Amino acid sequence: QVQLAESGGGLVQAGGSLRLSCAASGSIFRINAMGWYRQAPGKLRELVASMTSGGSKNYVDAVKGRFTISRDNAKNTVYLQMNNLKPEDTADYYCYAELSILRDYGWGSFRQFWGQGTQVTVSS
């Protein structure tokens, strides 16, 4: 199986910065995409940022120009640099990875795996 370990959340004042990290480990696997969802109280979960194995990046409009997603392939790690944070960014952030696990018969189908979540709180 695969585990996703998240870190980097915390409490910051508006205008501050945080960097989230998410490292995949465990079974032999290949990654198709990684990124983050977030969910605030009373709101639906939304995809904040994603990055495919081909290097394409996508951001939700609310974070464009402020957040940057990047990766370190050697470490199977994806990062989310969050600058100029706003109170509306307050949420639980969940790392995800779309990946295929090597089985005895060969490569499995691509499935999504989730991190444990990390809390980001931005005060006014």
Side-chain angles (χ1 to χ4, degrees):
Q1 196 61 292
V2 173
Q3 297 80 42
L4 302 181
E6 298 184 43
S7 63
L11 174 64
V12 65
Q13 293 184 342
S17 298
L18 289 171
R19 189 177 77 156
L20 306 183
S21 299
C22 178
S25 63
S27 303
I28 299 174
F29 57 87
R30 58 184 183 181
I31 300 173
N32 188 54
M34 294 186 72
W36 277 271
Y37 287 84
R38 69 182 180 186
Q39 187 166 28
K43 294 185 177 181
L44 297 175
R45 182 184 60 179
E46 67 175 350
L47 180 62
V48 179
S50 64
M51 187 173 186
T52 69
S53 60
S56 63
K57 302 176 181 180
N58 292 101
Y59 303 93
V60 67
D61 287 344
V63 309
K64 288 181 178 178
R66 299 188 297 118
F67 291 11
T68 303
I69 189 170
S70 61
R71 69 186 182 191
D72 184 337
N73 289 336
K75 297 180 179 180
N76 289 318
T77 299
V78 65
Y79 306 94
L80 186 66
Q81 179 67 46
M82 305 185 295
N83 296 327
N84 191 24
L85 283 161
K86 302 177 180 180
E88 49 264 43
D89 295 318
T90 296
D92 291 328
Y93 285 71
Y94 295 90
C95 175
Y96 82 92
E98 182 180 297
L99 52 82
S100 173
I101 298 174
L102 183 62
R103 307 295 191 182
D104 55 3
Y105 56 84
W107 292 103
S109 60
F110 284 104
R111 304 289 296 274
Q112 281 203 349
F113 294 80
W114 296 84
Q116 80 282 3
T118 184
Q119 189 175 67
V120 172
T121 303
V122 184
S123 62
S124 300

